[in-house]
Amino acid sequence: MPSQPDSARIPTASIVFGFGPMLPIAAAAIGAWTLPSPWPQMAVQLAIIWAAIILAFVAGVRRGYGFGAPGASTPRAIIAMLLYFVPAGLALVCARFDAPVAALALLTFGYLLVIVFDRHAARSGDAPAHFARLRGPQMLIAVLGLVALVGHLLRS
């Protein structure tokens, strides 16, 4: 039986489509540290694009839930959406202007915001209840991958 939107049980689809998109970020970090040139630079560039796309998607999820769920706060959904979407967009601009460390820092900040705000939102009814358990481990994969990429760039 599928879980209800207000259930704290993490649905299988959220596990698959929640953790799955984090794997390319982790793979890029591993590639940046282990592969010969020119692969590390490509891994960083692709990770920035991918992480920004996913963070922008997460922003849309929060906005959509906040607008569609009875009892969810539309103003809080808009604020969360902007807090996630703006760093994603700015990261792409930084990447375009050859500032990958700044791009990765913005993305890391955005993913950390998701951990904090989506957990709180899940507990207050502004996001699906299972986000309280999902978002921490899910976004931590991205954060660790992004930090590893920063470490690689600073080491190079």
Side-chain angles (χ1 to χ4, degrees):
M1 176 156 121
S3 93
Q4 298 300 313
D6 61 350
S7 172
R9 186 182 77 72
I10 302 173
T12 302
S14 287
I15 292 170
V16 172
F17 295 112
F19 287 100
M22 300 302 118
L23 297 179
I25 300 168
I30 292 167
W33 279 93
T34 61
L35 295 174
S37 188
W39 296 106
Q41 182 181 1
M42 290 175 32
V44 169
Q45 292 171 350
L46 292 172
I48 291 168
I49 293 167
W50 182 257
I53 289 168
I54 297 302
L55 188 56
F57 176 81
V58 169
V61 168
R62 272 302 302 279
R63 190 205 60 74
Y65 189 87
F67 283 18
S73 169
T74 299
R76 284 193 294 256
I78 292 169
I79 291 167
M81 182 265 303
L82 289 171
L83 288 172
Y84 304 167
F85 186 82
V86 170
L90 289 175
L92 293 173
V93 172
C94 288
R96 168 63 180 89
F97 290 102
D98 201 27
V101 173
L104 292 165
L106 283 163
L107 291 166
T108 301
F109 176 72
Y111 280 93
L112 288 170
L113 288 177
V114 174
I115 292 171
V116 173
F117 290 129
D118 274 16
R119 180 176 221 177
H120 177 72
R123 292 182 175 150
S124 66
D126 290 328
H130 70 273
F131 279 17
R133 293 180 53 222
L134 172 71
R135 288 302 201 215
Q138 175 195 21
M139 298 302 158
L140 188 58
I141 294 169
V143 168
L144 292 174
L146 294 167
V147 168
L149 289 164
V150 169
H152 170 74
L153 289 174
L154 295 177
R155 169 183 130 342
S156 301

